[in-house]
Amino acid sequence: MSTPRKQVILGAYLGGVNHHTAWWHPEAGSQIDFSSFEHTARTAERGKFDFFFLAEGLILRERAGRIFDQDIIGRPDTLTVLASIAAVTEHLGLAGTINTTFNEPYELARQFASLDHLSGGRAAWNVVTSFDAFTGQNFRRGGFLDPADRYARAEETLNAVRALWDSWDAADIVADKGSGRFLARPDAGAFALHGSQFHISGRFTVPRSPQGRPVILQAGVSPQGRAFAAASADAIFSPFGKQPEAADFYRDIKSRAVAAGRAADDIKILPSASFVLGDTEAEAIEKYHAIREEQVTGQTALILLEQIWNRDLSGYDPEGPVPAIDPDPDAPPIIQGRAFVHQDRFATAERLRQVAEAKKLSVREVVIDQFERGALVGTPAQVAEQIDTFVQEDGSDGFILGSHLVPWGLDEFVDKVVPLLQERGALRTEYTGATLRDNLGLPNVRSTVAARA
């Protein structure tokens, strides 16, 4: 008996403040105006994507105490944008990144439950933690927490939010036959939660939402992060867009989910990727290299290395060799407000030196070569095959796609690649689910009334 063909999950993101966004392009639009969000979301829905994803920006990035001058400035409030998009779409999921360190469970639960109601069951929350005191200074109580404490707060926050969602049962709304109104049962929404982070009790104001619980997204590469996501998330963002690392990560997360008492398919694995299309493979490759040359200026290359070295490298020639000096992890951070994704500064620096020496690359060239988050390059048919093959071989369950060109870049993918994925039987031709959970193939959430005292 043949194995059923996996359906490719597709998410769309709008390029934000990073250097990947080609803000200098003559056709580039705003990353703040609602028209850009609306166009991207409508295009994604036209392409039968599962959801639109919005990242979070809580502070302006700095280098040596001054705002980055090579980054685009500005990121509107996540939930406001998603609520607006809900009004101009019908099926597309709405996923937003909101921090657990700076927000309270009651307001988080209320905001996402409200979005789920307003959108008819399309809300998703990307659960993240803070990573530095610099970001926390924008908030009343600060925000710096050690890594272990960050995950402890995140886990308790997520558990509390779910308990609040579960404080309303589907049967808590009953019809009053005499008046024709709908009434709540006396104990509906009651909650009392006590832990190391929170001591809260009261009544949750939002009845159970269409999905029961909004979809939970998470990211985690460390063992602690993987364990948290495998036990709690409906989908996890993967940092691996190439085999065999992608398949290893896929198997690890799925096995952790099973060990946590879940089915392997209860959690979806989704790497992010950009794409470059051409009428021929050679044309696509040429376009890709031209885009990367424009994205990584000499200044950008040095700043990306400064985050690893934690030193002022402005005196180095970006067309020269990789610095021979070692990183200085004990110095005050030269780059602020940017998540540090490298586990070992010294090992990373040495790897870059070795790659540069082996390939005869300059600083800028090695950054172009090594700092790519994953790109799908080729003709539309080749890119469709790359996506489908990667998913069928369990590299992932789908992709979160974005373009360097805001907001028009996704149009080309929807017009040229989506029909080919549909022809291969790897992507829906029409939405069939009533909620985001349905479209993602996630199990329905049954109410437990867990928070009632």
Side-chain angles (χ1 to χ4, degrees), residues 128-453:
V128 298
T129 67
S130 68
F131 60 87
D132 62 358
F134 175 73
T135 303
Q137 69 185 345
N138 270 355
F139 297 85
R140 180 183 61 187
R141 63 176 177 274
F144 180 76
L145 294 172
D146 290 331
D149 294 331
R150 291 202 299 265
Y151 279 107
R153 181 180 172 90
E155 184 174 8
E156 193 168 323
T157 299
L158 179 56
N159 289 338
V161 168
R162 282 177 162 162
L164 291 171
W165 288 337
D166 289 344
S167 67
W168 282 81
D169 188 270
D172 280 336
I173 303 294
V174 296
D176 180 4
K177 295 181 180 180
S179 65
R181 296 178 299 170
F182 288 91
L183 304 175
R185 295 186 186 277
D187 58 349
F191 66 89
L193 302 168
H194 304 288
S196 63
Q197 300 290 319
F198 309 108
H199 294 275
I200 55 176
S201 61
R203 288 292 187 93
F204 188 52
T205 61
V206 185
R208 199 159 189 86
S209 67
Q211 293 185 105
R213 293 175 182 169
V215 170
I216 298 297
L217 310 176
Q218 228 269 310
V221 180
S222 68
Q224 190 176 17
R226 294 187 188 203
F228 177 52
S232 305
D234 298 305
I236 181 172
F237 297 134
S238 168
F240 303 108
K242 296 181 180 179
Q243 301 284 26
E245 295 86 358
D248 292 341
F249 183 78
Y250 188 94
R251 285 191 297 269
D252 181 56
I253 295 298
K254 299 282 184 173
S255 64
R256 287 173 184 267
V258 171
R262 310 172 68 192
D265 206 37
D266 286 354
I267 184 168
K268 309 299 182 180
I269 314 298
L270 303 170
S272 65
S274 59
F275 60 90
V276 178
L277 304 177
D279 292 335
T280 66
E281 182 179 14
E283 179 186 326
I285 292 173
E286 183 179 355
K287 285 173 61 177
Y288 167 72
H289 286 302
I291 291 167
R292 289 295 288 158
E293 287 286 333
E294 291 181 319
Q295 288 173 326
V296 182
T297 65
Q299 180 191 26
T300 296
L302 289 172
I303 285 176
L304 289 173
L305 290 196
E306 283 181 340
Q307 191 177 21
I308 299 168
W309 264 258
N310 200 35
R311 292 177 181 272
D312 182 351
L313 302 179
S314 59
Y316 284 82
D317 181 1
E319 303 303 333
V322 174
I325 59 173
D326 285 333
D328 185 3
D330 298 323
I334 188 171
I335 304 296
Q336 297 271 35
R338 198 169 198 154
F340 187 74
V341 298
H342 307 282
Q343 300 298 312
D344 187 321
R345 294 179 188 271
F346 295 96
T348 303
E350 181 58 29
R351 176 177 59 81
L352 292 175
R353 290 192 196 97
Q354 292 176 0
V355 170
E357 182 177 355
K359 295 185 177 183
K360 309 301 181 186
L361 302 177
S362 67
V363 166
R364 191 171 72 89
E365 289 169 337
V366 81
V367 169
I368 291 173
D369 185 70
Q370 293 292 301
F371 285 65
E372 175 59 82
R373 59 185 171 185
L376 302 161
V377 181
T379 66
Q382 288 173 326
V383 169
E385 182 177 7
Q386 290 170 35
I387 291 172
D388 189 25
T389 300
F390 195 81
V391 170
Q392 304 307 326
E393 293 181 351
D394 290 343
S396 73
D397 293 303
F399 286 89
I400 315 296
L401 295 176
S403 170
H404 63 283
L405 183 59
V406 173
W408 320 108
L410 193 64
D411 295 59
E412 186 179 24
F413 184 92
V414 169
D415 292 338
K416 297 180 179 180
V417 179
V418 162
L420 299 178
L421 288 172
Q422 291 170 333
E423 287 178 11
R424 298 170 74 97
L427 181 67
R428 66 173 70 86
T429 56
E430 295 294 339
Y431 290 102
T432 57
T435 68
L436 177 56
R437 283 187 175 276
D438 293 337
N439 288 325
L440 291 175
L442 294 170
N444 292 325
V445 178
R446 305 299 180 186
S447 59
T448 58
V449 198
R452 292 187 184 169

Side-chain angles (χ1 to χ4, degrees), residues 20-39:
H20 302 97
T21 304
W23 53 266
W24 61 86
H25 195 285
E27 297 179 14
S30 170
Q31 90 287 357
I32 295 177
D33 289 349
F34 177 68
S35 60
S36 293
F37 295 107
E38 180 182 16
H39 181 86

